[in-house]
Each structure stands twice: as C-alpha cells, then as structure tokens.
Amino acid sequence: MTERVSLQLSDELEAPPETVWAALTDAATARAALPDGDNPAANEATPAADGGNPAVSLFEADESGVEERTLDPGDALTVALSLAPGTGTDVNVDAPFETAVRVEEARYPTLVVNGKGETADESASFDALAGVELSETDAGTEVTWAAEAEIEGALAAAGPTAVTPVIAHVAIRFFDDLERLLREAEHAGGDGESG
C-alpha cells in the first residue's frame, strides 16, 4: 500500500540568510543537524578539525574551502534518518531509515532535495521531494520548507494523518538543530559569515 503526504511549514532562524544557506548546503553541517535517534554521531560527516561542530570549521574556511564543502545539484549523501515519533502517535517505526539524499537544485535562496529511505528490515519506506526557500526578515531568516512524499509499509499503514505530524516534527528538529549549530559556531569564534 502506498499513501501520499504533503506538508509545508516555516520557521525563523536568528541568522542572516547567507549564513543559513552556507550551513544548509554544507554536507557536514546539514548532516549534523539531522535527527538520528540514538546515534547523532552517525550523521557527522567531515567534522571540524577538533571533532566538534562542523559549522565552526565552515565559517573559518576561506572561500575555496567553503566551495569544496558546498553541495551542488547532482551531489548525493547517505544518512541514517530517524522518524521515531515518541509518544502520542499511531506511527510505530523506531528503526532508522537508511536514506539517500540527492540535491536536485541549489540556487540561492532555493534548495530542492530528493530523499529515498527504507528501514533495514524493509518494513517501511518513503520517497520524498522537499524544497527550502529562504527570505530575509528583521530577526534573521524565514525558512519555508515544503515536502511531498510517497510512503509505504508501516508508514502507509499508519496513514497520512498520523505520519504528517511526525515528519513535521523531524523538519522542525532539523532547523532547530541547524540554528543551534550556527549559534555554537558564532560563540566558538566563527563569525557566522561564510567566505
């Protein structure tokens, strides 16, 4: 059985759009912000030289260093993505999804990615297209995120009404963690501005 899910949300981050863009399009920083349930370290690719926050080394890099780390259309990465819902939902999928993420479009201020994920036991899967649009606000950056996904297995059995809030929670956690990484980078001496 296959079901379709669509959702859109927005969040405001206290950082300039260019800084948010640099973090979103940096594989290491974006990976570090992804929720991975019991193993946050599994999503840390190319960590900072000191093993810490990858956003710090991103903002300390010169322009060519930033360009080397920037995701471009066609680039792909694999992440373990947790959709563990916690309590209060009918979604019963605690296993992480091995997820292949491919950048479809990366043209400031728009980022579009395709993500395909499946649990190790193949009991649940998804195929999603998600887009992020950034716009400047007085307080920093408004991030508008929209996604459409086909869900199968245990996710489809739970239904779109149960799955949609879980996906929204994952997206909100991602942007909260991204903002936390940016704040930590700023306090660690990174100037919060790339290149």
Side-chain angles (χ1 to χ4, degrees):
M1 164 172 39
T2 301
E3 294 279 350
R4 291 193 62 75
V5 176
S6 296
L7 67 150
Q8 181 174 330
L9 57 88
S10 62
D11 197 1
E12 191 157 329
L13 306 184
E14 293 180 8
E18 297 79 11
T19 300
V20 175
W21 179 259
L24 272 177
T25 58
D26 174 57
T29 304
R31 220 179 245 200
L34 284 169
D36 180 37
D38 299 328
N39 188 11
N43 285 336
E44 292 181 15
T46 321
D50 65 0
N53 180 342
V56 173
S57 63
L58 172 67
F59 297 121
E60 290 174 347
D62 61 18
E63 190 171 330
S64 66
V66 170
E67 285 180 23
E68 279 181 25
R69 293 174 58 155
T70 300
L71 292 168
D72 294 312
D75 287 350
L77 53 126
T78 302
V79 296
L81 179 63
S82 175
L83 295 183
T87 59
T89 96
D90 294 330
V91 180
N92 189 17
V93 180
D94 290 332
F97 288 77
E98 283 300 314
T99 306
V101 179
R102 179 180 165 87
V103 177
E104 300 295 332
E105 178 184 341
R107 192 172 326 149
Y108 180 81
T110 303
L111 177 67
V112 178
V113 298
N114 175 264
K116 295 181 182 188
E118 186 170 51
T119 56
D121 65 3
E122 300 179 0
S123 65
S125 65
F126 67 87
D127 184 350
L129 189 65
V132 176
E133 187 81 25
L134 305 180
S135 57
E136 188 169 6
T137 66
D138 291 340
T141 303
E142 180 179 32
V143 178
T144 302
W145 179 83
E148 291 191 11
E150 287 186 357
I151 55 175
E152 295 184 350
L155 293 175
T161 303
V163 172
T164 299
V166 174
I167 296 170
H169 176 74
V170 169
I172 290 166
R173 260 183 66 195
F174 171 79
F175 289 112
D176 287 350
D177 285 347
L178 188 70
E179 184 171 39
R180 177 187 51 78
L181 290 169
L182 291 172
R183 263 196 317 273
E184 289 174 3
E186 183 178 13
H187 293 302
D191 63 6
E193 298 290 334
S194 65

